Amino acid sequence: MKKFLDLGLQPLANSLLIKKNLKKKEKKFRLQLGFNPKNYLVSIINTVPKEKMFNEKYPYKSSESKTMRLSFKKLSQKIKKLYNPNRILEIGSNDGVFLKNFSRRNVIGVEPCNNLAKLTKKKGYKTYSEYWNPQLSKKIAGKKKIDLIYSANTLSHIKDISSIFKAINFALSKNGILILEDPSLLECMKKNAYDQFYCEHIYVFSTIALQKILYNFGLEIFDIEETSTHGGSNRYYIKKINNNLYKIKKSVKKHIITEKNYGLHSFSTYKKFSERITVSKKKLLKIFLNLKKKEKRIIGYGATAKSCTVLNYCNIGNKIIDYFYDTTSFKINKYLPGSKIKIKQYKKLNIKDTDYVFLGAWNFKKEIFKKEKLFIKNGGKFITHIPIPKIL
Ligand code: JHZ
């Protein structure tokens, strides 16, 4: 693996702090990004044991945004219409935001974070609170295979790729379909979204990398859809190589060509990305420091995992950002790791309380701007670092 970017010492992105632990030394790891020229895979170089990240304290709930709820709903409708699967499995079912669109008889969830699995079980959905691996795959699909496996924003979080796909191949029926959805590396590069990298995001996939990896496990992509979620994602439709029911669509070739034209197969592209990120850091910090000089009040919006990378890489702390607003109950009254900025229960933005708002959840800009129309009308401003640091 060839290293191309060093984002410094970082705490665990979703390990929010409680007040009494603010003075304790936090565990940090060196966040460095690497490119594998053999299979084109981009990943973080040092990883953190999964148990430290995905446990019963995991604070992220997929259903917090309207955009995500709608996206999962629409996909469920499409799945029912196109494939009408009898047995569906979701890997990384979070709080059940996707599963709840199906009948309880048809779907099974896998979610190692027990606080989230509990929410899905409460709604009556069968959920295994375990990590996805070949043993679990045997337990679930040993007697009856799965027609459709869906996994969004999860496989990029699992280090052992070979174990994931072996387990999937075992569970999937002969004509079964695997739908994977993850942030697109191309979009991440184009948008300078270096904050897609943090401890949990071990990989950010490109089509060219995924295609090579899947091939080793007897799987192939037959269609790709682009979605706007999480700053630009790819939804891959995958089948077993010897399944002839589905033809490989033009979208696959199109993506491969686009990615190669951009240079995702070449190390020099990543070096250039790294140079842009160094500039981005300086520019963002300059914006914040200038505003502080003018005694402007700044808060953050959306205490995202991504924010953790930005704040710690750019050395932005609680002397610059007063607090973050977030709607997630698990996050309220806790503090962002490293920067130690308090997270407060979301209230509609008001120009009386704040002048500038850092968009931690820049991926939901549309939804947020719609919600905060009045703040904007009254002269309230947002700060973003995507694609380049600026005041909006
Ligand atoms: P959001 C998480 O990343 C972690 P994060 C994880 N590793 C991953 O891959 C992606 O999700 C999928 C809040 N919010 O989705 C809710 C508001 O307060 O960008 C969330 O805390 N008000 C699994 O954390 C956060 O912002 C709003 O109006 O980077 C958004 O987090 C909206 C729209 C959101 O993911």
Side-chain angles (χ1 to χ4, degrees):
M1 190 143 41
K2 290 172 84 174
K3 187 181 109 183
F4 63 89
L5 180 60
D6 189 337
L7 294 166
L9 278 181
Q10 293 273 351
L12 304 191
N14 269 314
S15 287
L16 304 178
L17 305 168
I18 51 172
K19 195 172 181 185
K20 77 171 188 346
N21 290 342
L22 279 178
K23 290 220 165 82
K24 268 195 193 163
K25 198 166 181 239
E26 285 175 84
K27 283 216 172 75
K28 294 197 175 163
F29 81 109
R30 185 144 221 115
L31 181 57
Q32 294 175 311
L33 316 186
F35 170 69
N36 181 336
K38 282 197 185 132
N39 61 7
Y40 309 143
L41 197 57
V42 166
S43 62
I44 61 172
I45 294 175
N46 307 310
T47 54
V48 173
K50 57 183 185 306
E51 296 79 6
K52 291 211 183 319
M53 301 185 281
F54 309 113
N55 50 45
E56 69 294 338
K57 289 196 183 127
Y58 196 68
Y60 178 75
K61 278 164 76 188
S62 304
S63 59
E64 285 300 317
S65 91
K66 197 174 167 192
T67 315
M68 291 314 294
R69 291 195 298 272
L70 256 171
S71 165
F72 288 121
K73 190 174 177 191
K74 269 196 192 155
L75 176 65
S76 313
Q77 285 162 346
K78 181 172 174 180
I79 288 175
K80 284 180 205 164
K81 198 169 150 207
L82 282 185
Y83 308 116
N84 192 24
N86 218 336
R87 236 175 154 231
I88 303 170
L89 170 73
E90 187 186 13
I91 306 171
S93 51
N94 198 275
D95 59 358
V97 64
F98 169 75
L99 293 188
K100 72 166 195 221
N101 296 295
F102 296 90
S103 143
R104 289 174 180 78
R105 277 181 291 118
N106 298 119
V107 286
I108 303 164
V110 171
E111 176 48 66
C113 305
N114 200 27
N115 55 331
L116 298 168
K118 263 192 203 157
L119 297 175
T120 327
K121 284 183 197 166
K122 239 192 206 166
K123 290 180 200 137
Y125 287 90
K126 173 102 186 149
T127 307
Y128 290 84
S129 186
E130 293 178 45
Y131 296 103
W132 175 250
N133 58 31
Q135 293 75 33
L136 183 60
S137 172
K138 275 202 186 109
K139 191 152 96 183
I140 295 175
K143 291 203 178 106
K144 205 169 174 210
K145 302 279 179 180
I146 309 287
D147 304 315
L148 191 134
I149 300 180
Y150 176 58
S151 189
N153 304 302
T154 300
L155 298 199
S156 54
H157 298 59
I158 309 175
K159 187 177 177 184
D160 188 351
I161 286 204
S162 102
S163 136
I164 308 173
F165 288 114
K166 263 187 208 151
I168 286 181
N169 207 354
F170 174 84
L172 205 60
S173 66
K174 201 168 133 253
N175 291 327
I177 290 170
L178 164 67
I179 305 178
L180 292 188
E181 194 171 323
D182 274 292
S184 140
L185 182 64
L186 182 65
E187 287 305 314
C188 169
M189 294 281 137
K190 281 188 183 165
K191 294 193 168 90
N192 297 321
Y194 63 92
D195 54 350
Q196 286 291 9
F197 293 95
Y198 48 91
C199 54
E200 294 174 16
H201 281 183
I202 297 171
Y203 309 103
V204 175
F205 293 125
S206 60
T207 308
I208 51 173
L210 204 55
Q211 191 193 39
K212 272 187 182 265
I213 294 162
L214 289 168
Y215 198 74
N216 294 332
F217 299 94
L219 298 164
E220 65 184 349
I221 305 168
F222 68 91
D223 196 9
I224 306 174
E225 259 169 29
E226 286 164 25
T227 73
S228 60
T229 55
H230 293 296
S233 298
N234 281 336
R235 186 178 282 152
Y236 299 98
Y237 291 77
I238 297 158
K239 64 177 187 66
K240 294 196 175 187
I241 289 174
N242 50 12
N243 169 359
N244 296 321
L245 270 186
Y246 307 98
K247 285 226 166 73
I248 299 183
K249 295 208 178 151
K250 282 187 189 142
S251 58
V252 181
K253 200 170 173 191
K254 194 184 126 212
H255 271 81
I256 289 170
I257 292 172
T258 313
E259 289 186 1
K260 287 208 165 155
N261 283 343
Y262 189 86
L264 289 191
H265 59 306
S266 155
F267 185 64
S268 61
T269 306
Y270 300 98
K271 279 309 282 178
K272 281 185 210 142
F273 171 75
S274 166
E275 285 157 18
R276 295 199 299 276
I277 300 316
T278 316
V279 176
S280 174
K281 170 182 177 167
K282 285 187 190 140
K283 280 193 175 156
L284 185 65
L285 200 54
K286 200 171 160 194
I287 291 178
F288 275 111
L289 294 178
N290 278 341
L291 291 175
K292 271 291 142 195
K293 241 193 237 161
K294 292 181 196 154
E295 297 188 350
K296 298 290 180 195
R297 297 159 305 169
I298 311 173
I299 67 162
Y301 199 117
T304 59
K306 295 184 289 293
S307 303
C308 178
T309 298
V310 180
L311 300 173
N312 288 290
Y313 175 57
C314 301
N315 299 317
I316 297 165
N318 52 19
K319 292 213 167 69
I320 294 182
I321 297 183
D322 299 338
Y323 55 88
F324 263 75
Y325 270 151
D326 202 287
T327 53
T328 318
S329 57
F330 293 153
K331 297 189 180 182
I332 311 302
N333 289 330
K334 300 208 171 107
Y335 295 77
L336 278 153
S339 61
K340 299 190 164 95
I341 303 171
K342 189 169 184 179
I343 306 168
K344 289 192 182 179
Q345 170 69 55
Y346 163 76
K347 268 200 317 202
K348 241 188 183 1
L349 294 180
N350 190 330
I351 197 71
K352 285 188 191 142
D353 306 325
T354 190
D355 306 302
Y356 289 82
V357 181
F358 173 63
L359 262 182
W362 56 266
N363 43 315
F364 294 116
K365 183 175 147 204
K366 235 179 165 178
E367 181 177 337
I368 293 170
F369 274 32
K370 209 169 157 190
K371 251 199 262 183
E372 310 302 342
K373 258 197 256 157
L374 197 61
F375 173 69
I376 298 170
K377 201 176 145 211
N378 290 336
K381 299 272 184 226
F382 284 88
I383 305 167
T384 190
H385 60 295
I386 300 293
I388 50 165
K390 61 176 173 224
I391 294 172
L392 302 170

